[in-house]
Amino acid sequence: MDLQQPLDYAAAKQYYEREGPLRAPRKHVERIVGEDQDERQPRLGAWISNQRSRAGTLTPERVEQLSAIGMRWT
């Protein structure tokens, strides 16, 4: 997992808790405050789309983790 992944996952979880299933538009940017209190703006929509397109190569644990926060795979 690269260094960006935890931030992207945190952004996805925040979006899910606010909006429900992860159906963010591809251009959606999620504002999130990191542990260091700095605001970040990951491109969540693109990240979600990339996770879907790579579903076949993700670990079962990752698929389960994303499914638990409302990932729609189709």
Side-chain angles (χ1 to χ4, degrees), residues 4 8 17 22 27-28 30-31 33-34 40-41 45 49-53 56 61 63 74:
Q4 188 66 20
D8 291 327
E17 289 170 354
L22 299 179
K27 292 187 176 189
H28 179 75
E30 184 74 10
R31 288 187 175 94
V33 176
R40 306 253 178 18
Q41 297 182 16
S49 179
N50 290 339
Q51 298 304 295
R52 274 193 199 105
S53 68
E61 294 81 14
V63 170
T74 57

Side-chain angles (χ1 to χ4, degrees), residues 20-37:
L22 299 179
R23 295 179 192 249
R26 182 150 177 83
K27 292 187 176 189
H28 179 75
V29 174
E30 184 74 10
R31 288 187 175 94
I32 188 166
V33 176
E35 291 179 11
D36 57 5
Q37 299 303 311

